[in-house]
Amino acid sequence: MLQVCAQPPELTSVVMGKVQVGFRLRENGIPEYNVYYDQRAVINWSGLGFALDSDSSFYKGFELIGTEKRSVDETWQPVWGEVKNIRNHYDEIKIHLQQKKAPGRLLDIVFRVFADGVGFRYEFPKQPGAAYFIIKDEYTRFNLTGDHTCFWIPGDFDTNEYLYSTSKVSEIDNRALVNSSTDIAVRVAPDAYVVQTPLMLKTKDGLYINIHEAGLMDYPAMQLHIDKATLGLTSALVPDAMGNKAYLHAPCHTPWRTIIVSDKATDILASKLILNLNEPSKIKNTSWIRPMKFVGVWWEMQTGKSTWSYSDFADSTDSHGKLIPNGRHGATTANVKRYIDFAARNGIQGVLVEGWNTGWEDWFGNWKENVFDFVTPYPDFDVKEITEYARSKGITMIMHNETSGSATNYERQLDTAFQFMNRFGYPAVKTGYVGRIIPRGEHHDGQWMVNHYERVAKKALEHHIMIDVHEPMRPTGLQRTYPNWLASEAGRGNEYNAFSNGSPPEHETILPFTRLMGGPMDYTPGIFKLRGYVPGNPGRQMHSTLAKQLALYVTIYSPLQMAADLPENYEAKLDAFQFIKDVPVDWDDTKIIEAEPGDYITIARKEKGKEKRRSFDRITSSDKQIRK
Ligand code: NOJ
Ligand code: CA
């Protein structure tokens, strides 16, 4: 039911179940909205608008010139996912505004109100004289009703790979964490009081509030600046090399700003609001898109047993200029065959190989543009032989394209790289963006790179290739539109347990409430050997247990799940490995049984297309109570 009422100066509200959104224009023509849940204020009156290059006050002086309302109640089926059917039920109001001053610019604000929250976005209609414009700043505010507890990482322009902090909003200061996170390759967080979204909040009276965005395309990622005096959050967009935020061409719109709210933490995890706000799939024939589990020549490099590179240094060459092998290269034909054999023996579908292409001696840290060519294997990696061997064993090969942040180089090679994958039978690729971005001055989460990741997804789609993107902007539900974009990393994965002091046990109970709200994570679970990796430091171990590593296959959702440990470590514990062999990666149904960010999550799922198989897992931050 849509209820619209008006009261001076202008006030409209939309209600869906317990969620209510109000809209008004203040006396000076500033648009504002508020959000209630079950009669309790969630967001106090908060301003909306922009500073443009051509008008620094595109947030005031508006008048209402009309409203349009509609309701939608439909059900759709994702190509893969946590549930088979998704209900998309909302009431929408589109508010048409015009600035009173010349040239009378138009701005529409659209609110969609769902039973579990609200999404709103700005639309810039086609209008004479205002076709091209630059967003200098977005002033969307989220005025909180109190000093809530929040689960946050710094708002960094280039990385999401931080550990989470839990604090009051008023206590947020990201400097200590940014400065101490020396294990993250590139950190650019110039404002101490900016946090990343999804931001998870909990009020004193038990409301759970999640703020994020949906459908991030052709726009920079939204982070949140905290005004401690008023407990207000303001959209802080990631800038480009010029310090501008976005270059737009009307008619166009921003991504959706999302507020998911409930008095039950489980409802936050079950919400499909972000997916519902994304556009439907661009692909009709999806038969080539297949969720899968995979192993890979990977953890052995992360833990120092072998190397990505063939030589230790770029100038380790013989008198003919040929690289001298270091004897520890991981991606050799023989070693890859070992993984293929292991996968085939155990019903694991895919094998990822990293360090197969030339360039790893000198790949990182020099802001070098032409790093890799994505088609030239090292001399000890026989791509044809491996393809034939994998094919004979029914194994799907997963390509690895590390760009080192040089997006320009990757874009020039994309066609060639994807043709190479088509030719040698690689239907999936893991990409990576470790390092400072080229074009120089751009950031991982800025508009240019947001467009780059989408260009890669589109090109992959043309070539029928599934993608798993490491180090992109964090997901915002684009996997609905591009179902070949199976997973992203965009967070602190299990790999930090290999090369840093490791993540605390609570980490994986916060991730679903934050990083995973926008989409699947390639977390790389399944590490069985929990200690003994660091020479000279036998006491260092992962802050995890074997049972918890198994539970992650259910609690950290992804249609692409790695069994990340080495074959020999699985062979030593075949009873536990049976769970990885059995656990599905695509689901008909999911029930979030109980959850509390930072403490525990219990999830039950039902396998896609199978009536009987169910998986049930519980992880806790203390990791003491595991049942399976
Ligand atoms: C970082 C990725 O997260 C990791 O999975 C990969 O192995 C390295 N980059 C090298 O590309
Ligand atoms: Ca990474």
Side-chain angles (χ1 to χ4, degrees):
M1 249 298 276
L2 185 74
Q3 297 170 4
V4 179
C5 51
Q7 65 183 65
E10 259 123 13
L11 177 64
T12 348
S13 72
V14 182
V15 183
M16 170 70 79
K18 294 179 179 172
V19 179
Q20 176 176 334
V21 174
F23 177 82
R24 73 179 182 188
L25 278 179
R26 296 245 311 251
E27 314 75 52
N28 47 5
I30 295 180
E32 289 189 332
Y33 76 101
N34 66 6
V35 180
Y36 275 78
Y37 177 84
D38 207 11
Q39 321 289 330
R40 292 144 82 179
V42 176
I43 303 287
N44 287 331
W45 286 111
S46 299
L48 299 160
F50 299 90
L52 308 180
D53 57 334
S54 44
D55 180 2
S56 59
S57 64
F58 200 53
Y59 62 91
K60 66 179 180 185
F62 287 101
E63 60 186 349
L64 184 70
I65 56 170
T67 56
E68 283 174 71
K69 294 163 269 165
R70 70 186 183 116
S71 299
V72 168
D73 191 357
E74 63 188 12
T75 298
W76 59 280
Q77 281 82 39
V79 176
W80 43 261
E82 294 176 89
V83 292
K84 187 178 175 188
N85 296 306
I86 295 180
R87 185 175 181 200
N88 183 24
H89 183 203
Y90 62 83
D91 280 349
E92 177 184 286
I93 184 159
K94 185 183 277 201
I95 292 161
H96 300 287
L97 301 174
Q98 183 165 33
Q99 257 184 337
K100 286 185 209 156
K101 71 175 184 187
R105 280 179 207 273
L106 302 170
L107 176 67
D108 292 344
I109 305 173
V110 184
F111 292 90
R112 285 190 187 166
V113 186
F114 300 78
D116 57 354
V118 56
F120 61 91
R121 75 179 182 190
Y122 302 90
E123 298 185 353
F124 304 94
K126 193 171 177 188
Q127 49 193 302
Y132 294 94
F133 58 97
I134 298 172
I135 304 278
K136 301 294 276 187
D137 271 310
E138 183 185 312
Y139 293 139
T140 306
R141 290 272 294 194
F142 303 84
N143 286 331
L144 304 177
T145 58
D147 196 5
H148 308 326
T149 299
C150 61
F151 302 84
W152 59 273
I153 56 171
D156 191 304
F157 299 164
D158 283 285
T159 182
N160 287 275
E161 298 190 3
Y162 288 100
L163 275 175
Y164 286 91
S165 293
T166 305
S167 75
K168 295 288 176 201
V169 171
S170 63
E171 291 163 355
I172 289 172
D173 180 336
N174 67 36
R175 280 171 293 194
L177 192 55
V178 172
N179 292 336
S180 63
S181 299
T182 48
D183 45 12
I184 301 176
V186 182
R187 290 153 10 246
V188 180
D191 184 339
Y193 307 111
V194 170
V195 293
Q196 182 61 284
T197 72
L199 179 65
M200 189 65 218
L201 300 150
K202 186 179 179 188
T203 69
K204 277 198 195 82
D205 59 349
L207 270 191
Y208 297 86
I209 305 167
N210 186 279
I211 302 178
H212 189 36
E213 61 180 320
L216 172 56
M217 291 196 252
D218 197 21
Y219 205 76
M222 178 185 75
Q223 304 177 341
L224 297 170
H225 172 85
I226 288 124
D227 176 353
K228 295 195 178 188
T230 62
L231 296 175
L233 314 175
T234 310
S235 165
L237 301 176
V238 174
D240 78 342
M242 313 283 292
N244 292 322
K245 306 296 165 48
Y247 300 80
L248 300 184
H249 180 193
C252 57
H253 55 75
T254 65
W256 296 93
R257 277 68 190 93
T258 60
I259 301 159
I260 300 172
V261 55
S262 178
D263 50 10
K264 295 187 198 67
T266 51
D267 287 349
I268 305 292
L269 299 183
S271 174
K272 296 289 170 275
L273 184 148
I274 288 172
L275 271 180
N276 276 328
L277 287 168
N278 274 269
E279 289 166 26
S281 169
K282 288 193 186 295
I283 317 176
K284 285 214 174 69
N285 167 17
T286 55
S287 57
W288 53 276
I289 298 174
R290 290 184 306 270
M292 64 176 152
K293 285 172 278 186
F294 65 103
V295 292
V297 183
W298 180 73
W299 188 247
E300 57 178 87
M301 283 91 96
Q302 294 288 356
T303 52
K305 182 184 167 203
S306 67
T307 60
W308 281 270
S309 62
Y310 179 76
S311 293
D312 279 338
F313 305 101
D315 58 1
S316 297
T317 49
D318 64 17
S319 54
H320 305 289
K322 281 196 174 156
L323 284 172
I324 302 167
N326 64 10
R328 292 182 299 121
H329 183 217
T332 65
T333 305
N335 198 27
V336 173
K337 283 185 172 176
R338 191 168 73 90
Y339 280 80
I340 292 174
D341 287 341
F342 176 77
R345 261 200 319 276
N346 291 289
I348 304 285
Q349 200 182 336
V351 174
L352 163 78
V353 186
E354 296 199 8
W356 67 276
N357 58 332
T358 59
W360 286 92
E361 288 72 22
D362 187 19
W363 72 284
F364 169 72
N366 296 319
W367 221 2
K368 198 169 97 173
E369 183 154 10
N370 297 321
V371 194
F372 294 106
D373 70 7
F374 312 103
V375 291
T376 309
Y378 279 125
D380 54 354
F381 180 90
D382 189 327
V383 63
K384 201 160 164 289
E385 189 179 329
I386 287 167
T387 294
E388 279 160 12
Y389 194 71
R391 199 168 284 153
S392 76
K393 300 263 172 176
I395 291 298
T396 301
M397 294 303 293
I398 301 175
M399 173 55 66
H400 184 230
N401 284 176
E402 172 59 61
T403 69
S404 182
S406 182
T408 46
N409 179 49
Y410 196 39
E411 289 203 8
R412 285 193 290 272
Q413 321 261 355
L414 260 187
D415 270 313
T416 320
F418 286 144
Q419 277 159 17
F420 184 83
M421 291 176 216
N422 286 158
R423 180 165 156 226
F424 288 103
Y426 284 71
V429 60
K430 168 180 170 181
T431 59
Y433 295 86
V434 177
R436 284 189 286 176
I437 294 297
I438 301 179
R440 296 187 180 89
E442 296 299 333
H443 296 288
H444 285 74
D445 288 6
Q447 184 189 23
W448 198 93
M449 283 303 288
V450 165
N451 286 338
H452 166 81
Y453 306 124
E454 192 187 349
R455 280 194 289 276
V456 174
K458 273 189 187 153
K459 182 65 76 181
L461 194 149
E462 283 163 30
H463 287 268
H464 282 198
I465 285 171
M466 298 172 275
I467 59 173
D468 168 18
V469 190
H470 277 229
E471 297 89 27
M473 82 287 191
R474 74 281 183 273
T476 59
L478 289 184
Q479 65 275 16
R480 179 178 178 190
T481 314
Y482 296 103
N484 64 319
W485 191 336
L486 264 70
S488 298
E489 184 195 43
R492 195 178 185 89
N494 221 0
E495 67 188 24
Y496 277 82
N497 288 311
F499 53 73
S500 78
N501 282 330
S503 304
E506 69 167 17
H507 185 59
E508 293 105 339
T509 67
I510 299 175
L511 280 175
F513 286 96
T514 51
R515 158 63 187 79
L516 275 105
M517 289 299 294
M521 180 168 185
D522 182 18
Y523 187 71
T524 66
I527 301 304
F528 279 20
K529 185 179 166 191
L530 299 170
R531 62 177 69 85
Y533 288 114
V534 186
N537 190 355
R540 218 200 79 188
Q541 70 164 89
M542 282 175 66
H543 311 297
S544 191
T545 63
L546 182 58
K548 183 171 183 178
Q549 289 297 309
L550 298 180
L552 297 175
Y553 288 86
V554 178
T555 58
I556 305 279
Y557 169 67
S558 178
L560 206 56
Q561 286 283 26
M562 188 170 198
D565 210 338
L566 311 181
E568 53 268 38
N569 295 336
Y570 289 137
E571 257 144 15
K573 295 190 176 80
L574 281 175
D575 49 353
F577 188 61
Q578 188 63 41
F579 179 84
I580 298 183
K581 288 165 73 169
D582 289 344
V583 70
V585 283
D586 198 10
W587 310 94
D588 262 349
D589 202 7
T590 289
K591 299 272 185 256
I592 316 291
I593 310 291
E594 55 175 1
E596 182 64 27
D599 288 340
Y600 55 84
I601 293 177
T602 305
I603 298 180
R605 302 194 197 264
K606 192 172 114 191
E607 185 178 7
K608 172 110 5 117
K610 299 261 171 67
E611 268 317 298
K612 284 192 187 135
R613 283 264 292 282
R614 281 171 180 77
S615 293
F616 180 66
D617 264 302
R618 180 173 208 263
I619 61 168
T620 67
S621 67
S622 64
D623 204 17
K624 280 182 194 140
Q625 303 173 57
I626 310 283
R627 60 176 191 264
K628 189 171 83 337

